[in-house]
C-alpha cells in the first residue's frame, strides 16, 4: 500500500507533505484554539510544531490538505501503523483550520482517505484524545465505534480508540 498517494476531489486535494510546506502549514497550526481540546495543546508553539512537522515528514505517511477553491493549505493528516498482515492502518494527526470546522471538509477528507485505504485493508483505527470532544463526535458521525482505550504507563485508561471496518464502511 502506498502510504502517500495524491487524492483529489472537487474541493479538496490531499498530497504528500513536503519540507517546503512548513510555513503555510504552520500558519494553520499556530492557531492556539485549534489545539485547546487536544492532548498536545501546545502544538501552536513554533518549536513544538517544528518537532511535530519533522516527525510527520519522517513518517512517510503524512499529507497536506489543500482547499482547491483557494489553493491554500488548510490542514494535515497522516496514515501510520500500517499492518499488512492484519490489514489495518491508523489515520490520525489530523487538523484543519477552524474556518473549515462544521463544514463538509473533515468528513470529505476522512472519506477520501478511507476509500483509498479500504482498497488494501479491512480495518481503520483512529486514536482520539479523551478530552477532544469535537473529534469524538466527528468519529461517531463517521460510524466509528470505540474498541478500546490507550493505556498510560501507570495502567490508567486514557484515549479512546475508534475503529471502522471495511464492511461497515461499504454498507453505509
Amino acid at each position: 500500500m502506498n502510504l502517500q498517494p495524491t487524492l483529489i476531489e472537487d474541493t479538496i486535494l490531499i498530497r504528500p507533505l513536503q519540507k517546503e510546506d512548513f510555513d503555510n502549514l504552520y500558519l494553520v497550526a499556530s492557531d492556539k484554539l485549534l489545539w485547546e481540546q487536544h492532548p498536545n495543546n501546545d502544538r501552536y508553539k513554533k518549536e513544538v510544531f517544528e518537532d511535530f512537522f519533522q516527525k510527520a515528514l519522517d513518517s512517510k505517511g503524512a499529507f497536506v490538505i489543500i482547499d482547491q477553491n483557494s489553493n491554500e493549505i488548510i490542514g494535515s493528516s497522516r496514515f501510520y501503523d500500517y499492518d499488512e498482515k492484519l490489514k489495518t492502518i491508523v489515520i490520525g494527526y489530523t487538523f484543519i483550520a477552524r474556518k473549515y470546522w462544521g463544514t463538509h471538509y473533515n468528513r470529505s477528507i476522512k472519506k477520501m482517505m478511507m476509500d483509498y485505504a479500504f482498497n488494501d485493508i479491512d480495518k481503520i483505527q483512529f486514536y482520539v484524545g479523551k478530552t477532544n470532544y469535537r473529534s469524538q463526535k466527528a468519529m461517531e458521525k463517521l460510524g466509528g465505534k470505540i474498541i478500546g482505550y490507550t493505556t498510560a504507563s501507570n495502567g490508567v485508561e486514557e484515549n479512546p480508540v475508534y475503529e471502522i471496518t471495511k464492511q461497515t464502511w461499504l454498507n453505509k
Side-chain angles (χ1 to χ4, degrees):
M1 177 176 166
N2 175 7
L3 295 181
Q4 283 189 303
T6 297
L7 306 172
I8 302 170
E9 182 232 50
D10 291 341
T11 58
I12 301 167
L13 168 65
I14 300 173
R15 67 156 172 79
L17 179 69
Q18 300 168 359
K19 186 176 164 184
E20 299 77 30
D21 295 323
F22 180 84
D23 290 336
N24 289 323
L25 191 56
Y26 181 64
L27 280 176
V28 176
S30 63
D31 179 351
K32 185 176 182 177
L33 293 177
L34 203 72
W35 307 104
E36 76 178 335
Q37 292 184 8
H38 195 275
N40 301 102
N41 58 13
D42 62 348
R43 201 170 277 157
Y44 66 92
K45 297 176 181 175
K46 192 168 190 174
E47 65 277 6
V48 175
F49 188 75
E50 285 171 340
D51 183 58
F52 170 84
F53 187 85
Q54 187 58 54
K55 287 178 179 168
L57 283 174
D58 293 346
S59 78
K60 307 277 192 258
F63 302 95
V64 289
I65 301 159
I66 298 170
D67 176 352
Q68 295 213 96
N69 294 321
S70 65
N71 206 33
E72 293 177 334
I73 290 177
I74 64 166
S76 182
S77 193
R78 192 182 312 181
F79 283 131
Y80 65 101
D81 287 351
Y82 172 53
D83 188 318
E84 188 173 7
K85 288 181 182 173
L86 295 177
K87 296 186 132 197
T88 63
I89 199 162
V90 181
I91 294 176
Y93 297 99
T94 306
F95 67 93
I96 58 173
R98 280 192 298 136
K99 76 178 188 178
Y100 294 91
W101 291 3
T103 69
H104 77 281
Y105 279 83
N106 185 53
R107 179 174 180 76
S108 294
I109 292 160
K110 294 290 192 318
K111 181 182 182 316
M112 291 167 70
M113 292 177 73
M114 289 191 299
D115 285 347
Y116 171 79
F118 279 135
N119 287 315
D120 294 299
I121 57 114
D122 295 329
K123 295 177 184 177
I124 299 174
Q125 295 178 346
F126 304 82
Y127 295 77
V128 179
K130 65 182 174 185
T131 61
N132 194 339
Y133 306 113
R134 284 187 294 267
S135 291
Q136 290 174 25
K137 279 188 169 208
M139 285 309 313
E140 290 164 11
K141 285 181 183 178
L142 283 171
K145 303 291 182 215
I146 295 175
I147 60 162
Y149 293 84
T150 60
T151 306
S153 58
N154 63 2
V156 174
E157 287 185 345
E158 289 197 322
N159 303 315
V161 179
Y162 288 83
E163 184 173 86
I164 298 176
T165 65
K166 183 176 189 173
Q167 183 177 9
T168 300
W169 185 248
L170 295 178
N171 290 330
K172 269 192 111 177

